[in-house]
Amino acid sequence: MSHNPPSDPSWFERPQNIQRMIIGLVVVCVLLVFANLFYENPHPHFGKVETFFGFQAWFGFIAFVAVVFLGTLLRPLIKKPEGYYDPEPENEFPRLDRPEDNHPGDEA
Amino acid sequence: MNFLSALPPGWPMIVGGVFLWLLPKRAQAGGALSLAILSGLLFWFTPVLGEGESAKTFSMLGAELQPIRIDSLSRPFGLVFHIAAVVSAIYALHVRDTRQHIAGMVYAGGAIGACCAGDLMTLFVFWELTAISSVFLVWASDTPAAYRAGMRYLIVQVGSGVLLLTGAIIQYVETGSLKFELFVSEGQTLFGDNSISPAAWCVLFAFAIKCAFPLLHNWLQDSYPKATVTGTVFLSAFTTKLAVYSLARGFAGFDPLITVGCVMTLFPIIFAVIENDLRRVLAYSLNNQLGFMVVGVGIGTELAINGTVAHAFCHIIYKSLLFMSVGAVLFRVGTAKATELGGLHKSMPWTTAFCMIGAGAISGFPLLSGFVSKSMIISAAGEEHMFGVWIVLLIASAGVMEHSGIKIPFFAFFAHDSGKRVKEAPWNMLLAMSIAAFSCIALGIAYPLLYRLLPFDVDYHPYTITHVVTQLQLLLFAALAFVALMKSGLYPAEQRAVNLDTDWFYRRLIPKVTRGGQVAIELVDQTFRHDFLLTLRSVLRMIQRSFNVNGWIGQTWSTSTMAFWAATLLAISLVLYYT
């Protein structure tokens, strides 16, 4: 494993491409809401809610934001430093079974 | 052939697995893979029980046992367990650790045997076998933390088995039958006049532990991230889905499960938002997906049970895929913490691609497996007009998009570049991931193949315009919310931290409380012991003084004194004799 300075931005890291991806996402989202105009839900189970214009679109947005905010609110209550249960740092890393790792007694 | 068909499914893995140590080290992984394939082929060709047929029984110690029951409910689970075993064995081909190969095979075979058990006693035996074999996958990490987590895991799992055994015994005493069938009837509740029997209570509790019900869930998040890279892939597939199968068999249509399932889909997503260890995020997400299945079991209609089985089938594959991709990152980088990762798409492009397919499948993007299975459960809630349940499942779907659809791939492979440059995952890991990724796509497109395996006839079409559009709206607007939160800086930053969960109670609180009690006991004990010992010592010293050469008992006495005492003794015995 080598540590290079993050100097070689890939396609996904160039700001203009990120901008393009975001614009693409917004366009698709707008199109999806407009798609609601062109069809009708044949079997709505919950008539008023499900047929509400773009229901799942804004519902998805709000639910996502709510989940993230709830998580942020929960964090101060349950956050503890990393060595809380296991103070020894060498405890953290599982055995990785890399072929180049030699474990005592592994030679057969 | 008769002999072979009398053995429980998965036996090549259990029996063969135990003897894997006889092979040379470099052949063991291949041996394990061959066992899994062999067992899979045998299972595929084992005849299925038709409608109205019942499995062969034989009696042992006065009880009717039914060790093998492969019907339309157990077969899909048996099949997907075999797929998971084969894929996990390919993923572990590079491992040169006898323990892990044996544990993996016995564990997978045990789970397959358990899901094909027709009576509670056979179920119990395999149930405990999965518990005892799987713990070695946690211990194989060889760290003190993994050892302790494994111990906690073992206690919880064996406890679940003991409850199952208790339930089985009560059931046998009450009804005279050990058959594993529905424990509940229409309209039964947990408490009250029409409550379920004590046997059903015990068995339900046993299933609830293994299925990681809320408050009983934490063994999962505690142990899975501490297992080895390959061990976690095995672990993610079997234990909890065996519990889902058992619930579907024993408690289909039991209403309280709907509530439990709803809670289960919601609370893990909030923990997953702030968790730093990506394998732990996946463990929470596993919990959340189990919630969908438990809701399906609780609704209990044909569509809901079909949805549960289909979702379990797809889930095992995409969850393995996600654990495999994060495992590959851990294998190469040495850590799976979001704070340490990022920018890995440059050095692990294949792993990135496979992880994104898994993330898409778990989120339920059209053309991927989650879409065709999860929607059956949500539709089943809709058809029963359970508005609250339906809304909860929609929120949970947006939550899945958050933790598994975006967080896992984004923080591992994109986000800010950590500067880490590693090799791509080994070929066997890539092969295993590609098989799983291909299955995710295949199940999403050729969904009738999956639907044909399900217990009831399916009249469900996932690819309607309404469904595709609404699902895409939900997911893409959730993605839009992520972009908006990231851009505005409101998305919580990843932080190195341990987040508390219910395991705090038994890892911190109970030891602290018992330590307090211990101190009190020690104090009392010390005081009393001191006084007691003092008394004892002085008594001993007195006796010693009396009996030694100069003591009043030990010294030489004169003849007259002896004659006097002898006469006195004789007189006393004479008086005693005549009165």
Side-chain angles (χ1 to χ4, degrees):
Chain A
M1 190 169 74
S2 64
H3 286 262
N4 294 356
S7 56
D8 44 344
S10 69
W11 191 92
F12 291 99
E13 288 168 338
R14 291 197 197 106
Q16 69 269 33
N17 289 336
I18 295 176
Q19 204 62 37
R20 269 181 217 148
M21 279 189 277
I22 293 174
I23 293 170
L25 179 65
V26 172
V27 170
V28 175
C29 284
V30 171
L31 287 179
L32 277 170
V33 174
F34 271 102
N36 258 22
L37 296 172
F38 298 102
Y39 73 92
E40 210 163 292
N41 188 345
H43 319 282
H45 298 300
F46 311 103
K48 276 188 190 138
V49 179
E50 249 185 296
T51 50
F52 194 86
F53 187 72
F55 166 69
Q56 296 222 3
W58 59 259
F59 190 83
F61 192 94
I62 293 173
F64 189 98
V65 173
V67 164
V68 171
F69 278 162
L70 280 176
T72 322
L73 285 178
L74 185 67
R75 181 175 250 168
L77 295 177
I78 59 167
K79 196 181 128 179
K80 292 281 165 199
E82 270 195 320
Y84 182 70
Y85 288 122
D86 291 305
E88 314 98 54
E90 73 270 20
N91 263 346
E92 284 181 34
F93 302 105
R95 169 185 161 141
L96 293 175
D97 297 304
R98 289 173 178 151
E100 63 270 20
D101 294 350
N102 275 323
H103 293 281
D106 270 9
E107 299 80 28
Chain B
M1 205 55 207
N2 265 343
F3 169 70
L4 285 186
S5 64
L7 289 167
W11 67 267
M13 286 197 257
I14 302 175
V15 179
V18 173
F19 290 101
L20 272 180
W21 57 272
L22 290 173
L23 292 176
K25 266 242 151 81
R26 56 183 64 244
Q28 283 167 353
L33 177 59
S34 329
L35 285 173
I37 293 174
L38 175 72
S39 172
L41 287 175
L42 265 178
F43 187 81
W44 180 260
F45 291 112
T46 309
V48 188
L49 291 175
E51 195 88 14
E53 284 178 304
S54 63
K56 265 186 239 156
T57 58
F58 71 94
S59 36
M60 204 168 92
L61 302 173
E64 284 279 297
L65 296 187
Q66 205 182 63
I68 306 171
R69 175 179 56 187
I70 303 173
D71 60 8
S72 57
L73 182 59
S74 50
R75 189 160 189 268
F77 281 91
L79 282 178
V80 74
F81 281 168
H82 274 107
I83 297 173
V86 170
V87 170
S88 310
I90 295 174
Y91 188 74
L93 270 180
H94 66 280
V95 175
R96 301 274 175 272
D97 181 13
T98 318
R99 279 176 305 173
Q100 287 186 60
H101 292 306
I102 295 179
M105 281 302 112
V106 176
Y107 176 37
I112 292 160
C115 77
C116 296
D119 66 274
L120 292 169
M121 214 37 78
T122 314
L123 181 70
F124 163 75
V125 171
F126 284 116
W127 195 266
E128 292 291 41
L129 187 65
T130 59
I132 293 164
S133 53
S134 57
V135 73
F136 287 93
L137 297 171
V138 182
W139 282 339
S141 276
D142 286 338
T143 64
Y147 171 74
R148 290 194 289 269
M151 268 300 172
R152 291 190 291 271
Y153 172 88
L154 191 62
I155 290 170
V156 172
Q157 296 292 316
V158 170
S160 154
V162 171
L163 274 166
L164 177 62
L165 180 65
T166 315
I169 292 171
I170 299 175
Q171 176 83 352
Y172 183 68
V173 171
E174 278 181 355
T175 65
S177 157
L178 276 174
K179 217 166 165 234
F180 179 25
E181 49 200 2
L182 212 56
F183 281 95
V184 290
S185 53
E186 184 79 38
Q188 276 200 309
T189 49
L190 278 173
F191 307 100
D193 295 336
N194 192 16
S195 66
I196 54 176
S197 67
W201 259 105
C202 288
V203 175
L204 180 63
F205 219 102
F207 293 173
I209 291 173
K210 248 197 173 43
C211 200
F213 275 20
L215 302 181
L216 304 172
H217 66 282
N218 209 220
W219 58 267
L220 199 160
Q221 287 84 3
D222 181 19
S223 59
Y224 283 17
K226 297 197 181 74
T228 59
V229 170
T230 52
T232 314
V233 179
F234 273 100
L235 287 168
S236 74
F238 300 108
T239 300
T240 48
K241 261 64 72 186
L242 172 59
V244 166
Y245 158 78
S246 309
L247 281 173
R249 173 76 75 184
F251 294 90
F254 187 50
D255 286 340
L257 290 181
I258 302 176
T259 321
V260 172
C262 283
V263 177
M264 241 170 124
T265 58
L266 286 183
F267 85 89
I269 52 184
I270 299 169
F271 280 89
V273 172
I274 48 175
E275 182 54 55
N276 189 25
D277 184 342
L278 291 185
R279 291 207 293 172
R280 219 169 129 98
V281 174
L282 284 177
Y284 277 115
S285 122
L286 173 55
N287 215 202
N288 147 277
Q289 294 293 302
L290 289 170
F292 280 93
M293 296 173 218
V294 174
V295 168
V297 173
I299 295 173
T301 57
E302 289 195 355
L303 179 62
I305 295 292
N306 273 342
T308 303
V309 177
H311 199 46
F313 197 101
C314 298
H315 167 91
I316 289 177
I317 295 170
Y318 62 63
K319 197 77 217 181
S320 302
L321 176 54
L322 285 167
F323 268 116
M324 284 194 282
S325 56
V326 173
V329 168
L330 174 61
F331 179 78
R332 283 302 190 206
V333 183
T335 176
K337 289 186 176 154
T339 42
E340 317 284 300
L341 300 173
L344 287 175
H345 70 279
K346 284 183 264 188
S347 37
M348 304 178 88
W350 284 105
T351 310
T352 310
F354 293 138
C355 181
M356 289 183 67
I357 292 174
I362 193 173
S363 311
F365 271 97
L367 302 182
L368 292 170
S369 58
F371 179 76
V372 302
S373 60
K374 194 199 299 180
S375 55
M376 288 176 102
I377 300 174
I378 300 180
S379 296
E383 273 180 16
E384 297 299 300
H385 296 283
M386 298 170 171
F387 182 67
V389 177
W390 186 75
I391 286 288
V392 165
L393 294 185
L394 281 190
I395 298 173
S397 302
V400 179
M401 183 66 187
E402 201 289 318
H403 58 66
S404 297
I406 293 176
K407 181 169 177 170
I408 295 280
F410 184 76
F411 285 104
F413 299 107
F414 300 98
H416 59 280
D417 191 346
S418 61
K420 293 195 163 86
R421 298 289 177 270
V422 292
K423 276 196 281 184
E424 178 57 285
W427 67 270
N428 63 308
M429 288 190 172
L430 288 179
L431 178 64
M433 284 190 265
S434 64
I435 294 172
F438 175 78
S439 310
C440 285
I441 300 170
L443 288 170
I445 295 171
Y447 62 91
L449 289 178
L450 170 67
Y451 286 2
R452 212 177 298 157
L453 289 173
L454 301 180
F456 303 103
D457 289 332
V458 182
D459 178 31
Y460 182 77
H461 305 283
Y463 289 103
T464 61
I465 298 176
T466 319
H467 184 208
V468 172
V469 170
T470 50
Q471 180 73 4
L472 281 175
Q473 281 179 347
L474 184 80
L475 295 178
L476 292 181
F477 271 83
L480 196 65
F482 176 72
V483 171
L485 288 172
M486 276 308 245
K487 283 273 163 194
S488 59
L490 288 172
Y491 194 86
E494 301 306 301
Q495 293 177 3
R496 300 184 63 112
V498 166
N499 292 318
L500 303 184
D501 200 337
T502 51
D503 60 344
W504 179 80
F505 288 97
Y506 52 82
R507 290 175 77 175
R508 270 297 144 102
L509 184 69
I510 295 179
K512 273 218 167 116
V513 170
T514 48
R515 206 167 299 143
Q518 205 179 336
V519 168
I521 291 173
E522 267 167 18
L523 206 71
V524 173
D525 172 75
Q526 264 170 12
T527 328
F528 278 96
R529 188 194 296 258
H530 181 250
D531 290 356
F532 179 75
L533 282 179
L534 214 65
T535 322
L536 197 69
R537 218 167 286 141
S538 62
V539 167
L540 273 176
R541 204 174 301 131
M542 202 181 78
I543 292 174
Q544 207 175 11
R545 220 177 290 139
S546 319
F547 275 90
N548 72 11
V549 202
N550 302 319
W552 66 277
I553 295 178
Q555 60 188 231
T556 343
W557 293 354
S558 64
T559 322
S560 52
T561 321
M562 281 303 291
F564 168 74
W565 282 115
T568 315
L569 262 176
L570 279 172
I572 291 171
S573 45
L574 202 68
V575 171
L576 285 178
Y577 189 76
Y578 281 106
T579 49

